[in-house]
Amino acid sequence: MVKHLDFMKFREVEVEKILEYISKCTDGFENPKIVVIGGYALRAFTAFSRYTRDCDFVLKKLDGWNLDRIQKLLLKDLSIEVFEKRGSYGFLRCIKLLKVDGRSAKISVDFMEGEVRGRTEEQIFFITEEFLQKATKVKIRVAEKEVEIFVPDYADYLLLKIMSARPSDVRDVATLVWKNGIPNGLKERAKKALAHPEILRKNMKLIIDDISDKRFLDSWKGTFVTTEFTEKTREEVLKELKKLL
């Protein structure tokens, strides 16, 4: 039976293949311009990376739909699970099923056009020309290879994480702030990038509560498999985050 860590590494190899294929079909993510968000983009901002089963991409909304073109480019072994086009935004989720030594799992590949939408009506982030212009191309390691992708500006990436505020996002926010601090003008950027800028303060209270919980240290260490995040580190991160209240 394949071990859990080996299975996660196998999944990484498959994600790397998907990234390389999409890059090849879009002239290096340039046509149309596609920006990677989520867990894989985290690797552009910190040396601490975590395994993730999702690969998330965003695109600007056109008069037509970039998603129609993306759908036609998909690998034959990817299947469409969700495809929605609703006025100002569209969402395409493709999945790839993996089977290794009797174990099975899936990789989700999500494309969000026009807006990133979360679990509530308040969670809306606009994908604009400004967002695309500020995105930078970097190399990240996926499996054993270096892959060149576009990632958001740091302020935009941090806002996306704060807007989502799931447990994994909270750990990422703590890591990002620990290593990169709070970017200047974050509140002003939130007013332009978020449909509901008030969610910045609202979610920040939740994030601070989560990081303050005594169980957070163990959760963080279990995710990133290192003990570098200490009690002193947590206190420093909380001090920075409270500046956003």
Side-chain angles (χ1 to χ4, degrees), residues 106-127:
K106 70 178 182 180
I107 296 171
S108 295
V109 184
D110 292 350
F111 295 88
M112 290 156 273
E113 183 169 345
E115 299 170 2
V116 176
R117 293 202 164 217
R119 302 173 304 282
T120 71
E121 293 182 358
E122 292 179 299
Q123 294 175 323
I124 302 174
F125 186 104
F126 301 122
I127 304 303

Side-chain angles (χ1 to χ4, degrees), residues 6-98:
D6 291 334
F7 190 80
M8 295 301 288
K9 290 180 178 179
F10 177 76
R11 178 184 279 155
E12 281 261 305
V13 171
E14 295 302 310
V15 169
E16 186 275 327
K17 292 177 183 177
I18 292 170
L19 286 169
E20 284 205 349
Y21 177 81
I22 296 172
S23 176
K24 180 179 179 181
C25 293
T26 59
D27 300 326
F29 298 106
E30 298 268 6
N31 182 29
K33 189 168 184 178
I34 302 175
V35 179
V36 177
I37 61 172
Y40 284 99
L42 181 69
R43 301 178 187 192
F45 300 102
T46 173
F48 298 101
S49 63
R50 57 180 173 82
Y51 288 111
T52 175
R53 69 185 63 191
D54 302 323
C55 197
D56 303 314
F57 304 91
V58 295
L59 312 91
K60 181 184 174 183
K61 174 72 175 67
L62 296 180
D63 292 335
W65 289 94
N66 274 315
L67 292 186
D68 288 332
R69 180 184 172 193
I70 296 298
Q71 181 189 19
K72 295 176 183 178
L73 296 176
L74 297 178
L75 288 165
K76 293 181 180 179
D77 54 353
L78 285 175
S79 58
I80 295 174
E81 187 173 70
V82 181
F83 193 10
E84 300 176 343
K85 295 185 287 187
R86 298 186 178 183
S88 61
Y89 74 98
F91 178 71
L92 172 63
R93 168 167 289 169
C94 309
I95 60 171
K96 181 172 184 177
L97 298 177
L98 304 177

Side-chain angles (χ1 to χ4, degrees), residues 3 37 55 102 147 159 163 170 197 205 207 225 228 240 244:
K3 295 180 179 179
I37 61 172
C55 197
V147 181
L159 280 175
M163 182 186 80
V170 174
K205 292 179 180 179
I207 290 169
V225 198
E228 289 190 46
E240 287 297 304
L244 294 174

